[in-house]
Amino acid sequence: MHIEIDTGVCIGAGQCALTAPEVFTQDDDGFSQLLPGREDGRGGALVREAARACPVSAISVRQA
């Protein structure tokens, strides 16, 4: 699984960090980012749910 965050689209709603806090966090400006070492998408179902929860669809998840 590969996770990508479109930082140009992210509005910092934080739904990803609330849904999958072991994979996502927010930077100093409040925008979404992956936690170090989590780029491979460990967390499966919660990662997909976090992508669905994003109000602007800034997160894409695809099989690697």
Side-chain angles (χ1 to χ4, degrees):
M1 175 180 299
H2 177 75
I3 306 166
E4 197 168 308
I5 302 168
D6 186 338
T7 56
V9 173
C10 180
I11 60 171
Q15 294 303 305
C16 57
L18 290 171
T19 304
E22 67 284 346
V23 177
F24 298 96
T25 189
Q26 290 179 282
D27 66 15
D28 292 338
D29 294 321
F31 296 106
S32 180
Q33 70 181 149
L34 292 170
L35 287 169
R38 298 301 179 149
E39 297 84 3
D40 65 357
R42 282 179 279 159
L46 285 178
V47 171
R48 286 187 289 277
E49 181 58 32
R52 283 190 291 273
C54 180
V56 294
S57 300
I59 301 169
S60 62
V61 179
R62 61 181 168 83
Q63 294 302 325

